[in-house]
Amino acid sequence: MSKDTINDTETAPAVPEGQKDSLSSFVATLASFSGDLSSLTCPSFLLSSVSLLEYSQYWGDHPKLFASISKGETPEERLLNATRWFISTLYGSYSSRSTTAGMEKKPYNPVLGEQYFAKWTGDEETGDTILKAEQVSHHPPIMGFHLENKKAGVILEGHCGQKSRFAMPAGIDVSQTGHAILTLPQFKEHYLITLPNLNIRGMVTGRPSVELSGTTYIVSSAGHMTTIEYSTKGYFSGERHSFKATLKPIEGGSVFYTAQGVWSGVSNYTDNKTSATSLFFDSDTDKSVAPELKPQAEMGDLESHKLWSQVTNAINNKDYSTASRVKAQIEEAQRALAKARKEKGETQADALKVFELVSEDNDETGKAFQELKGKLVEAVGIKALKEDDTKPHWRLRE
């Protein structure tokens, strides 16, 4: 059973008094706007009280599953573990806010160089998991992230951007650009992970929600691949948020595992060799683990919680005029910094402190990406991977 079976018309909260005109104007602007919607200003009552950069923490929502990837005894088992962990990240990333708050809200657009750090303290068996993230580009908006558990020998690094457009009758379709590379050093294995498309609906009622659509892939350097198909209408399970994953050799051959169910709820998998079916993941019982953050007083000025604290406080107090004003001040300050960089002949990369822009040819992860991308394109075609036109690559500074 999915946790997201709320009847929109019966439970939709009323738009705050004084904000109905703002919502109507925003929807009208969406309908008439041509191009990427990321530059539009969203009404403050539709803003989430977090930065989009903080969404990188959802990669670490289930640190034990992340650490367990390297425990697979065979390449097939490690791919199964990687697929289970990936499915576990989807609820937090794309559905948890609709479940807890009744609706999806737009996060703040991170400023260039914005930073987010988090930690999940594990036990002797699991080890600690550390996240470092930075907004590595503002035009286009792209975040870089690095998640690592040294004890388990699991590293995730990559970048993600979004390109959005209006979708009839009154929604937004988001194409996520970028990818993640999962590395298991002890096995000398790399995994390329692609990102799903997002369909945001419910804008007219002021109660947006997110569905996933299309197909994503996890490609292993050991010669195997997971194909994950998402359905917005319950084609596979009869419920929203359904998916079906098949694990098989890249160059043909029989499927060795199949997993399907609801990514925001319960899913099962079948070992095709034995026909045995077992629980794959259950987001109701396997709750996400909140990360540990530094006290705000110890954060740097560019860390998300401190940077947006005044806007967050205003939104939480439903003081939307103050939220809009302070948010505009932050954005105007960034425009001034961008102008100053241009006058000095500097690029966006010069503003980064956590990550650095590098050539794929001179970086191990970049080389792994090129190799796995080639295998993926050969197997399913060029449309399987969505990258920014400039094909940038960032890595964590040493």
Side-chain angles (χ1 to χ4, degrees):
M1 174 76 63
S2 167
K3 288 182 282 192
D4 301 278
T5 54
I6 301 172
N7 185 307
D8 288 358
T9 59
E10 293 181 358
T11 62
V15 176
E17 283 300 321
Q19 300 297 324
K20 292 182 179 180
D21 289 344
S22 178
L23 174 63
S24 298
S25 176
F26 180 62
V27 172
T29 301
L30 285 177
S32 61
F33 191 84
S34 176
D36 188 1
L37 300 176
S38 62
S39 60
L40 291 182
T41 299
C42 179
S44 292
F45 77 92
L46 283 178
L47 284 177
S48 172
S49 56
V50 298
S51 169
L52 182 61
L53 187 66
E54 295 177 55
Y55 283 28
S56 58
Q57 79 176 42
Y58 296 127
W59 290 113
D61 260 359
H62 297 274
K64 288 188 176 181
L65 290 182
F66 183 67
S68 73
I69 297 173
S70 60
K71 294 181 180 179
E73 295 182 359
T74 66
E76 291 85 355
E77 289 181 359
R78 291 192 287 276
L79 179 60
L80 180 68
N81 290 351
T83 304
R84 179 185 290 109
W85 158 77
F86 176 74
I87 292 298
S88 79
T89 70
L90 299 180
Y91 170 68
S93 298
Y94 306 114
S95 185
S96 59
R97 294 165 299 280
S98 292
T99 302
T100 57
M103 62 186 291
E104 181 69 41
K105 291 191 173 185
K106 182 184 182 300
Y108 313 137
N109 290 331
V111 305
L112 180 65
E114 184 176 329
Q115 303 161 4
Y116 185 69
F117 306 105
K119 177 182 179 180
W120 293 262
T121 300
D123 52 29
E124 290 186 5
E125 179 183 357
T126 304
D128 297 343
T129 302
I130 307 294
L131 170 71
K132 298 179 181 180
E134 184 176 30
Q135 189 71 7
V136 295
S137 172
H138 190 65
H139 295 292
I142 301 174
M143 71 171 76
F145 51 86
H146 183 103
L147 185 72
E148 182 171 5
N149 184 315
K150 290 185 177 180
K151 185 176 184 63
V154 185
I155 304 168
L156 180 80
E157 50 197 329
H159 63 271
C160 174
Q162 296 82 30
K163 294 182 179 180
S164 52
R165 63 180 180 83
F166 178 74
M168 293 295 288
I172 298 173
D173 286 346
V174 181
S175 174
Q176 296 197 98
T177 61
H179 62 270
I181 295 290
L182 181 73
T183 301
L184 306 180
Q186 70 183 98
F187 299 105
K188 298 181 180 180
E189 288 179 353
H190 296 283
Y191 299 74
L192 167 62
I193 302 171
T194 67
L195 308 173
N197 293 323
L198 315 181
N199 305 128
I200 303 173
R201 300 295 182 264
M203 297 299 300
V204 170
T205 62
R207 190 178 182 278
S209 62
V210 176
E211 275 286 359
L212 305 185
S213 64
T215 306
T216 62
Y217 305 90
I218 303 176
V219 184
S220 166
S221 59
H224 304 114
M225 179 171 70
T226 298
T227 300
I228 307 172
E229 300 172 271
Y230 305 93
S231 172
T232 61
K233 298 180 180 179
Y235 179 82
F236 301 117
S237 67
E239 295 188 70
R240 295 175 59 199
H241 299 176
S242 59
F243 78 94
K244 181 177 182 180
T246 55
L247 289 69
K248 61 182 294 186
I250 296 175
E251 298 181 355
S254 300
V255 173
F256 45 84
Y257 292 117
T258 302
Q260 63 182 35
V262 178
W263 53 261
S264 61
V266 179
S267 54
N268 297 295
Y269 79 99
T270 300
D271 183 334
N272 289 20
K273 292 182 180 179
T274 64
S275 298
T277 297
S278 306
L279 177 67
F280 190 55
F281 180 70
D282 182 355
S283 65
D284 287 315
T285 58
D286 194 347
K287 300 293 186 181
S288 62
V289 179
E292 303 163 25
L293 306 179
K294 293 183 294 186
Q296 192 175 118
E298 298 177 12
M299 292 181 178
D301 291 340
L302 282 172
E303 292 191 49
S304 298
H305 278 207
K306 188 170 184 178
L307 175 67
W308 297 100
S309 60
Q310 293 185 54
V311 182
T312 297
N313 291 337
I315 289 176
N316 291 341
N317 291 323
K318 294 183 171 53
D319 184 355
Y320 301 117
S321 61
T322 296
S324 296
R325 175 175 55 79
V326 178
K327 178 173 173 288
Q329 290 173 350
I330 293 173
E331 293 167 344
E332 182 57 38
Q334 289 303 306
R335 283 189 281 271
L337 289 173
K339 181 180 179 181
R341 279 195 304 273
K342 185 176 181 180
E343 291 174 349
K344 294 178 182 177
E346 296 178 347
T347 67
Q348 292 188 112
D350 294 316
L352 305 182
K353 304 298 182 184
V354 182
F355 288 79
E356 60 182 340
L357 184 63
V358 297
S359 169
E360 288 180 351
D361 298 329
N362 298 322
D363 179 70
E364 180 182 352
T365 304
K367 292 177 182 178
F369 167 66
Q370 290 179 329
E371 178 183 350
L372 294 172
K373 175 185 175 182
K375 292 182 178 181
L376 176 61
V377 170
E378 184 177 351
V380 300
I382 191 64
K383 292 184 178 180
L385 189 65
K386 299 177 290 293
E387 292 292 317
D388 185 79
D389 294 339
T390 58
K391 299 179 178 60
H393 182 73
W394 293 270
R395 71 178 174 198
L396 192 68
R397 291 184 184 274
E398 298 179 356

